[in-house]
């Protein structure tokens, strides 16, 4: 194959980088959308061909316009901006399609009305556009801007400066407010996109373009709802792995359930009660490496930091101030946000002792006194920047007698140019320091109006660095811990669903836990008092008794749990009372009997909870926290999205208050955290492989120095929807271990075909540099590059398996796994076809590897529900064209480039 797919122009390029634009509804009517948009494009000016369409006038603002879009000359039109009422939309879209327009912005705002006829008009317009291959952005838009190109196709009055940030917002009003703030602070944008109703082009597609956009270095998101989670998560993960993304989302509180909802949803686990939509959204952003902010102030701070390309390498901050009080404000806020304020190295303190007056504090925070001249600021700042124990330095200036704020600002700008470490400034006050603030703005310094905002910005950068590390985690299978018996668990679920039950009974629940190797105490069923006594004899005292009844999830609510029964007499007495009480309080025929369970015997056990709940948008979420009867009261829960690995599981545990209780304290030995992590990993695997599971509670999960046991468990299941495909329920696609296949070369050597992993980056770099000849690299990349850039390595190894796949062919050499070939596909926007690429190392060619690798890729594409695979190949690459014909591809002339061939195969 001849080139990496990432090098091809994105299909939304005509929308973002049009060479020709037509404004339909261009006018001079004051206050009209058409007048504002056309004027903006003229004034910018737009660096391309600009036309207007107006049925009644031949000129607008002195520019010739046309009565119909069919009359517009000069060839193809990339973008149409529609600024006319909703009723005209279907007809105009039909005309645009006939004229060959590629994309359209629908600025019409009268779709906001709750009007069925308007909805029908919009649906009709979208259907017409689809038939013509025309993509629509909108309606109800502020518009779209690419300032560097002069593309200000928006109903906005104000100046938008070119820059490296992209702003994507669902709200036109919020987008306008951010743009106004940005103008005052000289923050520029590569793109500004308001999505409006997103009837066609959606968030995911916009983000997918921005991921490849060289003008965009960071992204600000304003969200009100997500829509379809898989595409959103897939695109967000792809862009966040290459560029920082900051998100502000409104609507934190979950919607209250009505009594009717509760009646229809009576079986609810602790996990379902504790976890709302906002927890799932937080978990989703954390999982893909996006930083969430809580308000407009934090968003503006993030914008300033992203625009200046600031990064933090850790959470250790040094504070310098020319006043104790201002420094203390920063210290107090840092402690609230768990920012580390390390002691400075002895060499740093000695250096400060020489440079600063003896009266001030020379450790963190550093007090350089109120009369500090610029030289004192510089000496202290330079010393702290060079301290190996600090990841960033915050310098606070208060305007006092003798303070030269302007000269100090100039020296700080010089320092930042000379040092790679993060330097942040808090310039307090207003009128006296206005001039130096303007200087800092122009120099794109990280400066703030208060110590607290500066500390919050540092905390955000540190958090972003950490969640970026989390986002790189691609959990693999848990084969090393023992394969789960998935077929056994599915059989249990099928049996329950066939019986019309959504809540698994105790025996079924334990069988599922056993299938996934989740430990629990010995447990036996008992239908009568005598059977309970016999079960206690078999298990051994002491035991616990629990009621076993259909549809009962919280046994303690009806007195259905009795613990620490040390004699058989106590067992008999408690069993009789429990059965009588349950039969009196529960529906007739629902009581199955009792469960007799060995007491866990963990003297120093900590009661924990592991749960699973199904979010309406993001699918299953995994929760960890404090357990027992008070779980609903304290709500000490951290949430993440599956699948998990060791790092993600450890992070989940650390984010709870109960995590501190797992360490040794008083006479309690430290709990076995590795055992707790193992349970979390098993639950993750259960979530991935048992999509029928709606919710799960392991409460309590009791952990001590010897391990962890699920003392009680509940599982709720539901049938799968029609057309369900493997992992459709997951927002983050698990590592597709089931695609692993084995083959053999003509030489007899064994080879393995498996999906690529992030840790393959170094080996992939070696493969490109050592296994491919100059000619092979040219065939692959259309140039003779010798190594992949860091960005390319990220894109090619850190995949979202829901939208793309890369399979590596590996062989064993000298005890090491070596890549001998790579094949990949990327799904097209139609979700039915994909484009592929393949490369075989020179010394492995002619050994049957290429055909086996392509067959493995075909299987992966079929597994993803794709029906067509296609790609382009250099016409001079006769060997590859021969392989394509052998594999059943139809070889055609390329529709864009005579030097290429287009190959297509139905799967």
């Amino acid at each position: 194959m001849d080139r990496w797919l990432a090098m091809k122009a994105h299909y939304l390029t005509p929308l973002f980088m049009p060479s020709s634009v037509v404004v339909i509804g261009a006018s001079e009517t004051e206050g009209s959308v058409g007048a504002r948009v056309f004027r903006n494009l003229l004034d910018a000016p737009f660096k391309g061909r600009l036309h207007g369409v107006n049925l009644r006038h031949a000129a607008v603002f002195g520019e010739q316009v046309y009565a119909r879009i069919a009359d517009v000359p000069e060839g193809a039109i990339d973008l149409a901006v529609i600024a006319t009422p909703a009723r005209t939309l279907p007809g105009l879209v039909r005309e645009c399609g006939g004229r060959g327009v590629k994309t359209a912005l629908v600025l019409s705002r009268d779709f906001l009305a709750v009007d069925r006829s308007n909805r029908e008009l919009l649906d009709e317009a979208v259907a017409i556009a689809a038939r013509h291959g025309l993509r629509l952005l909108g309606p109800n838009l502020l518009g779209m801007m690419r300032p560097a190109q002069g593309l200000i196709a928006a109903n906005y009055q104000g100046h938008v400066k070119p820059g490296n940030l992209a702003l994507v917002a669902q709200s036109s009003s919020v987008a306008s407010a951010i743009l106004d703030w940005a103008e005052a602070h000289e923050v520029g944008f590569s793109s500004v996109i308001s999505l409006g109703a997103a009837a066609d082009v959606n968030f995911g597609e916009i983000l997918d373009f921005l991921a490849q956009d060289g003008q965009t270095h960071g992204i600000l998101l304003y969200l009100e709802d997500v829509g379809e989670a898989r595409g959103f998560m897939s695109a967000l993960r792809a862009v966040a792995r290459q560029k920082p993304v900051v998100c502000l989302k409104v609507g934190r509180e979950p919607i209250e359930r009505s009594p009717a909802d509760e009646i229809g949803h009576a079986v609810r686990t602790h996990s379902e009660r504790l976890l709302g939509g906002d927890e799932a959204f937080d978990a989703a952003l954390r999982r893909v490496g996006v930083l969430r902010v809580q308000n407009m102030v934090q968003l503006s701070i993030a914008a300033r930091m992203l625009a200046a390309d600031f990064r933090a390498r850790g959470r250790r901050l040094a504070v310098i101030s020319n006043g104790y009080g201002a420094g203390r404000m920063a210290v107090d806020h840092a402690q609230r946000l768990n920012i580390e304020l390390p002691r400075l190295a002895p060499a740093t303190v000695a250096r400060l002792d020489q440079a600063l007056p003896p009266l001030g504090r020379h450790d963190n925070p550093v007090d350089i006194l109120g009369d500090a001249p610029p030289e004192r600021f510089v000496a202290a700042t330079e010393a702290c920047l060079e301290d190996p124990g600090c990841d960033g330095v915050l310098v606070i200036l208060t305007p006092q007698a003798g303070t030269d704020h302007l000269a100090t600002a100039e020296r700080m700008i010089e320092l930042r140019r000379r040092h790679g470490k993060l330097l942040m400034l808090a310039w307090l006050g207003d009128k006296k320091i206005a001039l130096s603030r303007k200087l800092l703005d122009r120099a794109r310094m990280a400066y703030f109006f208060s110590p607290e905002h500066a500390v919050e910005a540092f905390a955000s950068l540190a958090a972003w660095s950490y969640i970026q590390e989390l986002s790189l985690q691609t959990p693999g299978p848990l084969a090393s811990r023992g394969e789960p018996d998935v077929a056994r668990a599915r059989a249990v679920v099928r049996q329950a669903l066939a019986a019309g039950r959504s809540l698994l009974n105790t025996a079924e629940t334990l069988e599922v836990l056993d299938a996934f190797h989740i430990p629990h105490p010995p447990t036996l069923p008992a239908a009568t008092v005598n059977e309970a006594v016999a079960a206690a004899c078999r298990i051994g005292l002491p035991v616990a008794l629990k009621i076993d009844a259909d549809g009962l999830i919280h046994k303690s609510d009806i007195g259905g749990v009795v613990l620490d029964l040390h004699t058989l007499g106590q067992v008999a007495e408690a069993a009789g009372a429990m059965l009588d009480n349950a039969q009196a309080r529960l529906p007739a025929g629902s009581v199955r009997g009792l469960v007799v369970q060995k007491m866990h015997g963990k003297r120093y056990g900590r009661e924990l909870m592991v749960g699973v709940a199904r979010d309406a948008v993001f699918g299953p979420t995994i929760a960890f926290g404090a357990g027992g009867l008070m779980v609903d009261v304290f709500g000490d829960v951290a949430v993440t999205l599956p699948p998990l690995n060791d790092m993600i599981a450890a992070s989940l545990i650390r984010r709870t208050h109960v995590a501190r209780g797992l360490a040794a304290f008083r006479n309690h030995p430290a709990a076995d955290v590795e055992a707790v992590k193992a349970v979390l990993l098993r639950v993750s695997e259960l979530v991935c492989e048992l999509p029928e599971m709606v919710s799960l509670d392991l409460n309590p999960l009791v952990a001590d120095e010897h391990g962890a046991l699920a003392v009680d468990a509940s599982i709720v299941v539901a049938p799968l929807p029609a057309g369900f495909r493997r992992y459709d329920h997951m927002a983050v696609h698990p590592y597709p271990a089931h695609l692993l296949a084995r083959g053999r070369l003509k030489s007899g050597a064994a080879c393995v075909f498996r999906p690529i992993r992030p840790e393959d980056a170094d080996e992939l770099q070696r493969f490109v540099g050592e296994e491919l000849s100059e000619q092979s690299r040219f065939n692959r990349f259309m140039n003779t590059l010798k190594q992949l850039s860091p960005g390319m390595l990220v894109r090619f190894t850190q995949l979202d398996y829901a939208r793309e796949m890369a399979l590596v062919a590996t062989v064993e050499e000298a005890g090491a796994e070596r890549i001998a070939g790579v094949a990949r596909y990327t799904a097209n926007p139609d979700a039915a076809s994909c484009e592929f690429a393949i490369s075989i190392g020179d010394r492995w060619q002619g050994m049957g590897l290429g055909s086996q690798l392509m067959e493995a890729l075909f299987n992966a594409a079929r597994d993803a529900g794709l029906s067509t695979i296609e790609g382009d190949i250099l016409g001079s690459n006769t060997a590859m064209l021969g392989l394509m014909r052998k594999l059943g591809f139809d070889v055609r002339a390329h529709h864009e480039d005579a030097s290429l061939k287009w190959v297509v195969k139905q799967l």
Side-chain angles (χ1 to χ4, degrees), residues 267 496-497 499-505 551 692 694-695 715-719:
V267 178
L497 291 174
R501 291 183 289 107
S502 59
L503 178 65
L504 300 189
N505 62 40
E692 297 91 345
V694 174
S695 64
I715 296 177
V716 177
V717 295

Side-chain angles (χ1 to χ4, degrees), residues 699-711:
N699 183 35
L701 176 73
V702 180
D704 68 358
E705 68 275 23
H706 301 299
L709 288 176
V711 173

Side-chain angles (χ1 to χ4, degrees), residues 449-505:
F449 294 84
S450 74
E452 290 86 355
H453 285 163
V455 170
E456 286 176 9
F458 180 80
S460 295
L461 288 174
W464 182 78
S465 297
Y466 178 68
I467 61 178
Q468 279 291 295
E469 188 179 359
L470 276 181
S471 75
L472 300 181
Q473 303 302 304
T474 303
L478 300 182
S480 62
R481 304 173 189 264
E483 290 285 351
D485 191 343
V486 178
R488 175 185 174 190
R490 287 178 179 161
V492 170
V493 171
R494 283 196 300 269
Q495 177 184 331
L497 291 174
R501 291 183 289 107
S502 59
L503 178 65
L504 300 189
N505 62 40

Side-chain angles (χ1 to χ4, degrees), residues 305-327:
M305 302 300 282
L306 291 181
D309 286 326
F310 288 105
R311 302 290 183 270
R313 301 191 182 102
R315 299 184 64 83
R316 301 171 300 176
L317 180 66
V319 177
I320 300 168
S321 174
N322 68 335
Y324 173 80

Side-chain angles (χ1 to χ4, degrees), residues 387-461:
D387 189 297
C390 297
D391 300 308
V393 177
L394 169 60
V395 178
I396 305 170
L397 179 145
T398 60
Q400 301 183 48
T403 303
D404 189 339
H405 63 92
L406 190 59
T408 303
E410 291 172 342
R411 302 293 293 275
M412 291 296 110
I413 293 170
E414 292 175 11
L415 270 182
R416 190 219 165 180
R417 290 172 182 154
R418 290 192 282 112
H419 287 272
K421 198 172 286 186
L422 179 61
L423 173 59
M424 306 172 71
L425 310 176
W427 251 228
L428 309 190
D430 194 357
K431 183 177 180 180
K432 289 182 180 180
I433 58 170
L435 189 59
S436 62
R437 277 183 173 168
K438 289 182 180 179
L439 178 65
L440 295 172
D441 249 337
R442 287 195 296 272
R444 296 172 67 196
M445 292 293 287
Y447 88 90
F448 304 90
F449 294 84
S450 74
E452 290 86 355
H453 285 163
V455 170
E456 286 176 9
F458 180 80
S460 295
L461 288 174

Side-chain angles (χ1 to χ4, degrees), residues 128-461:
I128 294 169
R131 288 197 293 272
H132 288 279
L134 168 63
R135 300 306 307 273
L136 303 179
L137 179 60
N140 306 332
L141 293 179
L142 173 71
M144 190 184 73
M145 309 180 198
R146 293 276 284 183
Q149 192 182 354
L151 180 66
I152 310 298
N155 184 25
Y156 178 72
Q157 186 170 1
H159 177 67
V160 182
K161 178 183 174 182
N164 57 18
L165 284 181
L167 169 63
V168 186
Q170 284 179 318
S171 166
S172 296
S173 60
V174 172
S176 297
I178 293 172
L179 291 174
D180 187 59
W181 169 87
E183 184 176 353
H185 291 81
E186 299 189 23
V187 172
F189 293 93
S190 62
S191 303
V192 178
I193 308 105
S194 73
L195 278 173
D200 179 22
V201 175
N202 59 37
F203 244 125
E205 292 178 287
I206 296 293
L207 294 172
D208 193 58
F209 175 87
L210 294 175
Q212 300 183 29
D213 181 34
Q215 297 180 33
T216 299
H217 295 176
I219 300 173
L220 303 179
L221 292 181
Y222 172 81
L223 284 174
E224 293 170 355
D225 58 73
V226 171
E228 190 272 315
R230 175 61 71 79
F232 173 80
M233 287 286 288
S234 178
L236 198 57
R237 190 177 194 187
V239 70
R241 284 182 168 181
Q242 303 173 64
K243 305 171 183 183
V245 181
V246 177
C247 178
L248 170 62
K249 179 183 180 292
V250 296
R252 293 193 65 88
E253 293 300 320
I255 298 173
E256 292 292 332
R257 290 181 180 271
S258 68
D261 291 332
E262 291 296 340
I263 291 171
H265 199 70
V267 178
R268 300 185 68 209
T269 61
H270 288 295
S271 301
E272 289 179 293
R273 290 180 177 178
L274 286 169
L275 305 185
D278 199 63
E279 287 86 353
F281 184 80
D282 265 340
L285 292 192
R286 178 182 292 270
R287 188 60 192 275
V288 297
V290 172
L291 178 66
R292 183 177 185 180
V293 294
Q294 307 304 323
N295 51 55
M296 286 286 290
V297 172
Q298 292 179 353
L299 187 69
S300 66
I301 291 171
R304 185 193 303 279
M305 302 300 282
L306 291 181
D309 286 326
F310 288 105
R311 302 290 183 270
R313 301 191 182 102
R315 299 184 64 83
R316 301 171 300 176
L317 180 66
V319 177
I320 300 168
S321 174
N322 68 335
Y324 173 80
R328 192 69 228 181
M329 292 178 193
V331 168
D332 289 348
H333 204 53
Q335 290 171 341
R336 282 192 289 271
L337 296 178
N338 295 317
I339 294 298
E340 186 180 347
L341 298 166
R343 295 187 67 84
L344 300 177
T348 304
V349 174
R351 185 172 169 182
L352 292 172
D353 288 340
Q354 287 185 343
L356 303 181
L359 293 177
R361 176 186 171 94
H362 299 172
D363 203 344
N364 196 9
V366 180
D367 182 3
I368 61 175
L369 304 182
D371 62 349
E375 292 75 18
R376 201 182 297 168
F377 273 96
V378 170
T381 305
E382 203 157 31
C384 291
L385 284 171
E386 294 174 5
D387 189 297
C390 297
D391 300 308
V393 177
L394 169 60
V395 178
I396 305 170
L397 179 145
T398 60
Q400 301 183 48
T403 303
D404 189 339
H405 63 92
L406 190 59
T408 303
E410 291 172 342
R411 302 293 293 275
M412 291 296 110
I413 293 170
E414 292 175 11
L415 270 182
R416 190 219 165 180
R417 290 172 182 154
R418 290 192 282 112
H419 287 272
K421 198 172 286 186
L422 179 61
L423 173 59
M424 306 172 71
L425 310 176
W427 251 228
L428 309 190
D430 194 357
K431 183 177 180 180
K432 289 182 180 180
I433 58 170
L435 189 59
S436 62
R437 277 183 173 168
K438 289 182 180 179
L439 178 65
L440 295 172
D441 249 337
R442 287 195 296 272
R444 296 172 67 196
M445 292 293 287
Y447 88 90
F448 304 90
F449 294 84
S450 74
E452 290 86 355
H453 285 163
V455 170
E456 286 176 9
F458 180 80
S460 295
L461 288 174

